[in-house]
Amino acid sequence: MIINKILVVAVALLGHSALLYGLTTMSVQPAKPKQVVMLLTPSPVPMGEDVVKQSKPQAKPRSVTRPQALKPRPAPAKAVSKVSETIKAPEQAAAGQMAAVTQAIAPAEAIPAPATAGSKNSKQISDEVPVETPPLFNTSYLANPRPSYPAQSMALGEKGRVMLRVKVSELGLPIEVELARSSGYRRLDDAARKAVERWKFVPGRRGDVAVVMSAMVPVDFVI
Amino acid sequence: MDLALIWHSGDPVLVSVFVLLLMMSVVSWCLILLRSSLLLRIKRGQKRFLASFWKASDWKEATSLTAHAIAPEAKLARAGWEGFIHYRSNAGKGLGLAVSLDDFLVRTLRTRLSQENARLELGLSWLATVGSVSPFVGLFGTVWGIYHALVAIAAKGDASLATVAGPIGEALVATAAGLAVAIPAVVAYNAFVRANRVIAQGLDGFAHDLHAQLLTAAAIEKEGK
């Protein structure tokens, strides 16, 4: 009889712990962005006879890519080397990750800055074409917030990549953010745009001078 | 619904609410399992005992049946027979025995009947209490959690849906837990009350039959003398 009672108590305790364990492990957790993968792809630009040596971008986005010379006609951006680095979110979510992939596009609409007389680029190349550096937005000290995944989109399983064309001022602030290519979902496009509008950038430079320049910012929403 | 998060948040009130609910639930389920197994055994034992008891040729055989039977009827029959023997051997000696056998038997059986009913009702008040109280315990946890979540949100100054919905959703787990504890308790309480009522009615009828049977036995003995 006493054994029977002990058995029953054990069964009850076991059932409760199993239920609690099941609830904690099977619970649906709100997906939070987990990693941001940055891909920097400089465009290769051969300079006439003497080919400028491609500087490989380093794994740390903090290291500014070595400037390269550009043809007057910008070559289409082709991924040459991929550098991915994972920025750990402060709170590691169990599910859901978002990757923002960026390509520094050959600046399509570089607006020439008022070049100060005598500002000579030390790294200038023989035919005096100043080196252009596209705007950056993935360096850690900028602390750009990741776009928050809209809850409704998550519930509906909406995912995709939003391409944004951002015009960056000389001070590194986004002047205008326009949708280059939609993800197919209005909600995701808006979330990405809203986030990127608050971002800060390292302004693009021609030589040593900061100029207004555009950059393509892809934002991936991955559940 | 992250229960580990509630532990880590370390709010003593919320933690104690959950611990209390867990304890209530464990005790209720232990009671549910024990009582239901007991009731099943009683039901089976009753059928067996009654069939064999009324078939018994004499009281000697009948009382031997009552020795190890689990049915409350067996205990009642045993008490009745012992009371009958007791009266017969001590007739007119004590204050309680200065009554007719009829009255004495009624008193004995009634006492035993109330004891058996009390034994059947063991744990029912606990189930009733848990069934009615645990939703409120859960609700208290929820209100407490929401209050603190709102205070934290106010301090943050950010009232976007994401910041509001998360902590409040967490707090609602307490209500769900309270209901999860209450529902089985209430269902079990109602089932047991009904089962007990059926058993008590059967017992009542059996007591009447037993009373008549014992009086008959006494009359036969008198005639035999």
Side-chain angles (χ1 to χ4, degrees):
Chain A
M1 202 62 218
I2 198 88
I3 287 175
N4 197 356
K5 275 181 181 159
I6 289 168
L7 198 76
V8 163
V9 171
V11 164
L13 282 170
L14 206 73
H16 279 82
S17 44
L19 187 75
L20 287 179
Y21 177 77
L23 283 176
T24 43
T25 49
M26 284 166 50
S27 61
V28 183
Q29 293 201 335
K32 290 175 195 155
K34 188 180 171 187
Q35 33 170 221
V36 179
V37 180
M38 308 285 192
L39 301 178
L40 290 177
T41 53
S43 47
V45 187
M47 283 298 297
E49 309 290 283
D50 49 328
V51 178
V52 178
K53 202 162 180 247
Q54 279 283 351
S55 69
K56 280 231 170 95
Q58 277 90 38
K60 285 250 161 35
R62 192 166 293 143
S63 65
V64 180
T65 45
R66 192 83 52 74
Q68 305 132 20
L70 280 177
K71 260 199 212 162
R73 273 194 331 279
K78 277 254 172 70
V80 171
S81 59
K82 288 187 179 181
V83 181
S84 68
E85 87 116 20
T86 308
I87 298 168
K88 291 264 193 299
E91 65 283 352
Q92 284 280 358
Q97 45 168 260
M98 193 186 306
V101 184
T102 156
Q103 295 171 295
I105 303 294
E109 30 185 307
I111 297 163
T116 47
S119 78
K120 283 271 184 204
N121 188 356
S122 53
K123 293 191 184 106
Q124 226 169 347
I125 306 161
S126 55
D127 57 351
E128 307 222 356
V129 177
V131 179
E132 290 199 346
T133 319
L136 296 176
F137 55 86
N138 49 9
T139 47
S140 58
Y141 60 84
L142 293 172
N144 284 331
R146 289 173 304 283
S148 59
Y149 214 114
Q152 257 179 304
S153 298
M154 197 172 288
L156 296 170
E158 297 175 356
K159 54 189 177 197
R161 168 180 286 200
V162 187
M163 291 291 272
L164 298 168
R165 186 179 294 108
V166 186
K167 193 183 271 185
V168 182
S169 75
E170 306 96 313
L171 300 174
L173 296 172
I175 301 169
E176 54 179 303
V177 180
E178 53 181 16
L179 193 62
R181 208 182 70 232
S182 168
S183 61
Y185 303 103
R186 178 75 183 280
R187 239 190 305 272
L188 295 183
D189 298 349
D190 289 348
R193 185 203 300 264
K194 209 184 284 181
V196 173
E197 274 169 358
R198 291 203 305 264
W199 280 11
K200 293 190 187 67
F201 295 80
V202 176
R205 289 200 307 273
R206 181 171 295 114
D208 282 348
V209 189
V211 292
V212 178
M213 220 184 263
S214 281
M216 282 294 231
V217 180
V219 181
D220 280 359
F221 288 91
V222 184
I223 295 175
Chain B
M1 187 165 163
D2 193 1
L3 295 169
L5 206 127
I6 291 159
W7 280 109
H8 292 313
S9 71
D11 188 346
V13 173
L14 264 184
V15 168
S16 57
V17 160
F18 273 93
V19 168
L20 187 69
L21 284 174
L22 188 67
M23 188 205 75
M24 279 177 164
S25 185
V26 168
V27 175
S28 309
W29 274 101
C30 287
L31 274 174
I32 289 167
L33 293 173
L34 285 170
R35 303 304 301 173
S36 46
S37 77
L38 180 72
L39 283 171
L40 279 174
R41 274 182 298 153
I42 283 177
K43 238 183 185 141
R44 275 208 306 269
Q46 261 179 338
K47 272 198 189 123
R48 261 210 317 273
F49 172 76
L50 287 177
S52 51
F53 182 79
W54 293 122
K55 274 187 199 144
S57 51
D58 60 352
W59 272 103
K60 202 172 176 181
E61 191 191 330
T63 44
S64 71
L65 284 173
T66 64
H68 297 294
I70 194 168
E73 277 88 346
K75 296 197 171 82
L76 201 63
R78 193 171 190 77
W81 179 245
E82 278 167 1
F84 176 73
I85 298 291
H86 182 79
Y87 185 87
R88 209 174 47 184
S89 53
N90 301 307
K93 280 184 189 166
L95 174 68
L97 298 170
V99 290
S100 65
L101 173 65
D102 185 358
D103 285 347
F104 184 75
L105 279 179
V106 165
R107 203 187 299 165
T108 312
L109 290 175
R110 200 179 48 220
T111 311
R112 193 69 217 181
L113 205 59
S114 61
Q115 276 175 2
E116 286 302 313
N117 280 338
R119 204 173 62 97
L120 284 174
E121 289 197 352
L122 201 81
L124 277 189
S125 64
W126 170 269
L127 287 179
T129 305
V130 166
S132 54
V133 164
S134 62
F136 296 118
V137 174
L139 202 58
F140 170 72
T142 291
V143 170
W144 184 270
I146 286 179
Y147 165 71
H148 281 271
L150 288 175
V151 166
I153 288 161
K156 225 189 275 181
D158 180 13
S160 71
L161 189 62
T163 47
V164 177
I168 287 176
E170 294 282 352
L172 283 172
V173 174
T175 299
L179 291 176
V181 176
I183 290 165
V186 171
V187 170
Y189 173 80
N190 289 333
F192 290 162
V193 163
R194 188 190 168 277
N196 284 355
R197 202 176 50 235
V198 170
I199 289 173
Q201 277 170 357
L203 213 52
D204 216 35
F206 181 78
H208 279 286
D209 295 350
L210 195 68
H211 180 238
Q213 196 70 33
L214 286 166
L215 285 181
T216 313
I220 289 168
E221 270 187 8
K222 255 190 189 149
E223 273 176 28
K225 273 177 187 172

